[in-house]
Amino acid sequence: MDDLSKKKLIIITFLLDIFLIANMYFNEHKILDNLWTLSVFTCHILFYYNLTFENRYILDILHYFIFILPTLALFTPNIYIKIISCFLLILIQILWIIEKRCILNEKVYQFGYGNELNNFVIILTSLLSFNIGYLAKI
């Protein structure tokens, strides 16, 4: 993996961590919110370590969680978790358009990028957006 992609991934992950820490500090949480946040931090710790040492096997497993955790965010009552997840999904879609690939992969490796996944992410982003709008209205 090239250094520029690594730097982008580290910056994105670090920004998400900052928003999650701020969310934990400033907002009240239910147990599901805490479990979701703990899962994200666990994945991020593993991600930082395995990105540094380029452990492709673990990075591929963590790749699934990029989509599993935002899907689970649909069921959390915390609007900020939904906003963070929606932001991540929109950012991923923008990077797919700009890079024409998933930046977590090598240039020839297509895991985590394709029409089916793109369709799923568009639907998930829409559902999260509706969820956010509903919660913001209350």
Side-chain angles (χ1 to χ4, degrees):
M1 177 180 305
D2 63 289
D3 285 339
L4 182 60
S5 292
K6 270 188 187 181
K7 288 176 185 174
K8 288 178 188 176
L9 289 166
I10 289 171
I11 290 168
I12 292 166
T13 307
F14 184 71
L15 288 173
L16 289 171
D17 289 341
I18 289 172
F19 287 122
L20 285 172
I21 290 168
N23 181 39
M24 288 181 64
Y25 183 76
F26 292 112
N27 299 303
E28 187 176 315
H29 292 278
K30 307 278 189 234
I31 191 157
L32 189 57
D33 300 331
N34 289 330
L35 287 172
W36 188 91
T37 305
L38 181 62
S39 298
V40 170
F41 283 137
T42 302
C43 287
H44 284 183
I45 290 168
L46 290 170
F47 178 72
Y48 286 128
Y49 180 80
N50 289 290
L51 186 64
T52 303
F53 295 105
E54 294 190 32
N55 184 342
R56 176 58 45 198
Y57 178 73
I58 300 298
L59 289 174
D60 285 346
I61 293 170
L62 292 171
H63 213 162
Y64 288 106
F65 285 95
I66 293 171
F67 305 104
I68 292 170
L69 289 168
T71 303
L72 292 176
L74 285 170
F75 306 105
T76 64
N78 188 304
I79 189 171
Y80 299 103
I81 287 176
K82 294 174 191 294
I83 291 170
I84 291 167
S85 296
C86 195
F87 168 76
L88 173 65
L89 293 174
I90 291 168
L91 185 60
I92 286 170
Q93 291 174 71
I94 291 168
L95 285 169
W96 282 347
I97 292 167
I98 293 170
E99 301 281 338
K100 297 184 181 25
R101 67 182 180 96
C102 176
I103 64 169
L104 185 54
N105 293 329
E106 304 293 331
K107 295 205 186 282
V108 295
Y109 195 61
Q110 290 296 313
F111 179 72
Y113 177 76
N115 288 334
E116 296 86 8
L117 189 56
N118 190 33
N119 294 338
F120 173 75
V121 171
I122 289 170
I123 292 168
L124 181 57
T125 304
S126 301
L127 290 172
L128 279 168
S129 297
F130 284 125
N131 251 214
I132 292 165
Y134 177 76
L135 287 173
K137 184 178 152 184
I138 293 179

